[in-house]
Amino acid sequence: MKYYILALICSVSFIACTSVENEAETPALLDLIITDSIRVNEENFFLNGQGQIKMVGDSLIAISSIRKPAIGIISLKTGNQIAQISASDFPEAPFFPSSFDIEVFPTLYIADRYSNSIYEFNVSEEKFIRRIKLQIPSEKVIKIALGEFHKTNSGFLVELTTGKVDTMHPDYYRNAGNLIYSFDNNGDSIGSFLKYPEIFTSQNGTINSQTYLKSTYYNNSFLYSFPQEGKIKRIKDKVPFSVIEEMDIPEALYFDKTLKGLDRVVTFDDFQNGKNIQFPNNHFFNSIFEDDNKIVLETWMTDLEGSPHKRSTNLLIYNKQKERWSETSTPRNILDMGMLAGVVNDTLYFYEGSLMQHDEKFIKRAVLRPIEN
């Protein structure tokens, strides 16, 4: 009887949290082939510099600007801007987007750092619907830019941060507490989860302030990664917010999971005294996409050894059915390739609108092809 109970406990534990062991697997190589490119047509350079890019169904993309409080909606077929929501047009909703969600068109939700609120709009009618004031702990605020933010069936998942500790001090990661907070549709707090992993909290010197956490929301679950932890993990969107699946990120050909930092703590006095401090650049994920068949990770790699580009990108792809990893064979200049917006069937959509290398903005379509031996 004792052995039966022990076996039952082990069985339940396995079902509750599935771990996919694939660390030793070498990813297969794929070619990323650009099939076509269309120029984006918008009104009066409405989006001057891109922030976040998100797919809307299979025919639109939504883009935020890093220089203007605005969201633009672009047709994937024509490249034309079909709608826009700008804070200057809504004095009752003076937002600056930390992030946004527009999974169910035409409803747009914007997480606003300055009011610690969520603004709801109808994009088709270009109409402000309501402001949802979030019940946020006094020591927390919505992340100022490029925060993780997802609309769920029961409310919202929002990345919060603290302003009490300088991000250049390693105590920031040790004292940040939970990063993701769950709120219902009225803004009332449901709970929170997800601290920085040990690889961050054990640092004694300054690390470059980058966006290390990247996530997506799919099938009522929160899929996320701190790539330097070497894991991708899945959490159900309901209390107790426990990890129900995790998998190893494989040793890739180009992407470096190492967390690099300085051997001392840098302060603002160092900058005021004119010290030229060079921070090691860490690789990170630019975006995560998931559907029934696959998970796609777009990388951002600065000063990649052997690459002629200052900023390079490639893709890591996980095939759910085969439980196999692959990666694209040649890193691209991210200022040419752009940021992954999403995937429709076998077609990948990228958007390049940074204006750092070109005066025009483009949507690019691409496919993946196996490399013949």
Side-chain angles (χ1 to χ4, degrees):
M1 183 67 177
K2 176 171 63 177
Y3 298 106
Y4 172 77
I5 294 173
L6 179 60
L8 181 61
I9 292 172
C10 292
S11 176
V12 171
S13 299
F14 176 81
I15 293 171
C17 179
T18 302
S19 178
V20 179
E21 299 293 341
N22 44 38
E23 180 69 29
E25 176 189 319
T26 300
L29 294 180
L30 299 173
D31 268 338
L32 179 66
I33 300 171
I34 304 297
T35 57
D36 70 344
S37 176
I38 58 173
R39 187 169 63 88
V40 172
N41 303 303
E42 58 184 349
E43 299 176 7
N44 302 319
F45 285 89
F46 174 69
L47 293 172
N48 187 12
Q50 69 192 41
Q52 292 179 314
I53 295 94
K54 298 190 178 184
M55 200 88 165
V56 186
D58 60 2
S59 61
L60 304 171
I61 58 171
I63 306 149
S64 65
S65 170
I66 59 174
R67 298 190 180 99
K68 181 179 181 179
I71 310 289
I73 312 298
I74 309 295
S75 166
L76 288 174
K77 182 177 181 180
T78 65
N80 294 332
Q81 176 185 300
I82 66 165
Q84 65 183 46
I85 297 294
S86 175
S88 61
D89 296 329
F90 300 94
E92 71 275 33
F95 65 83
F96 194 94
S98 164
S99 185
F100 68 92
D101 188 289
I102 189 171
E103 283 293 316
V104 183
F105 189 82
T107 304
L108 167 68
Y109 297 99
I110 296 174
D112 176 51
R113 160 67 173 84
Y114 295 114
S115 66
N116 282 325
S117 301
I118 295 171
Y119 290 106
E120 180 181 343
F121 294 87
N122 183 304
V123 172
S124 295
E125 299 177 4
E126 297 189 0
K127 178 182 177 181
F128 172 60
I129 305 300
R130 62 170 177 154
R131 173 193 172 197
I132 305 167
K133 179 65 177 177
L134 300 181
Q135 301 305 308
I136 290 177
S138 59
E139 72 278 7
K140 293 279 190 175
V141 293
I142 294 177
K143 188 176 179 180
I144 192 167
L146 306 179
E148 300 303 302
F149 174 58
H150 306 285
K151 178 71 179 75
T152 70
N153 290 334
S154 57
F156 306 91
L157 295 175
V158 187
E159 183 179 1
L160 303 184
T161 187
T162 177
K164 292 187 175 182
V165 182
D166 181 2
T167 58
M168 290 190 295
H169 199 287
D171 282 347
Y172 171 80
Y173 300 96
R174 288 189 276 269
N175 300 331
N178 286 339
L179 302 176
I180 304 298
Y181 280 69
S182 176
F183 301 92
D184 66 19
N185 287 309
N186 296 316
D188 293 327
S189 179
I190 297 174
S192 63
F193 60 95
L194 194 57
K195 292 178 171 61
Y196 278 105
E198 184 180 2
I199 186 68
F200 290 90
T201 60
S202 62
Q203 297 295 310
N204 293 317
T206 296
I207 60 176
N208 200 358
S209 297
Q210 298 175 204
T211 300
Y212 293 103
L213 171 64
K214 189 56 62 176
S215 71
T216 189
Y217 181 78
Y218 180 75
N219 198 22
N220 299 321
S221 67
F222 178 82
L223 186 76
Y224 76 93
S225 179
F226 295 97
Q228 284 72 27
E229 187 184 23
K231 301 282 186 180
I232 298 174
K233 299 182 181 181
R234 187 185 307 280
I235 292 178
K236 290 295 287 184
D237 65 355
K238 293 180 173 59
V239 175
F241 304 115
S242 56
V243 175
I244 59 172
E245 180 187 9
E246 67 176 69
M247 66 181 74
D248 295 322
I249 300 171
E251 292 298 331
L253 193 59
Y254 305 106
F255 187 79
D256 184 1
K257 295 178 287 186
T258 307
L259 181 62
K260 304 170 186 176
L262 300 176
D263 58 4
R264 70 179 187 90
V265 177
V266 176
T267 67
F268 282 110
D269 290 338
D270 292 321
F271 296 104
Q272 291 176 344
N273 294 333
K275 293 184 179 179
N276 183 20
I277 299 171
Q278 298 295 321
F279 292 94
N281 288 303
N282 291 297
H283 295 179
F284 60 93
F285 293 144
N286 209 25
S287 62
I288 298 181
F289 168 84
E290 182 181 17
D291 62 18
D292 286 343
N293 302 312
K294 58 190 170 294
I295 298 170
V296 182
L297 312 171
E298 183 184 28
T299 67
W300 183 298
M301 302 174 288
T302 303
D303 298 324
L304 181 64
E305 184 176 354
S307 173
H309 312 303
K310 175 68 175 176
R311 305 170 186 85
S312 301
T313 184
N314 80 330
L315 302 178
L316 297 173
I317 305 99
Y318 181 71
N319 185 307
K320 292 182 178 181
Q321 280 69 42
K322 296 182 179 179
E323 297 185 356
R324 291 290 308 274
W325 282 96
S326 56
E327 69 175 306
T328 52
S329 60
T330 305
R332 306 288 188 95
N333 181 357
I334 199 165
L335 298 182
D336 283 332
M337 193 70 228
M339 293 171 63
L340 178 67
V343 184
V344 179
N345 299 322
D346 294 328
T347 302
L348 297 87
Y349 289 88
F350 295 84
Y351 174 84
E352 167 36 37
S354 66
L355 302 179
M356 295 176 66
Q357 188 161 293
H358 310 282
D359 292 332
E360 297 178 321
K361 305 168 189 177
F362 295 92
I363 294 170
K364 299 183 179 183
R365 283 184 275 258
V367 294
L368 296 168
R369 293 285 185 263
I371 295 177
E372 299 295 337
N373 293 329

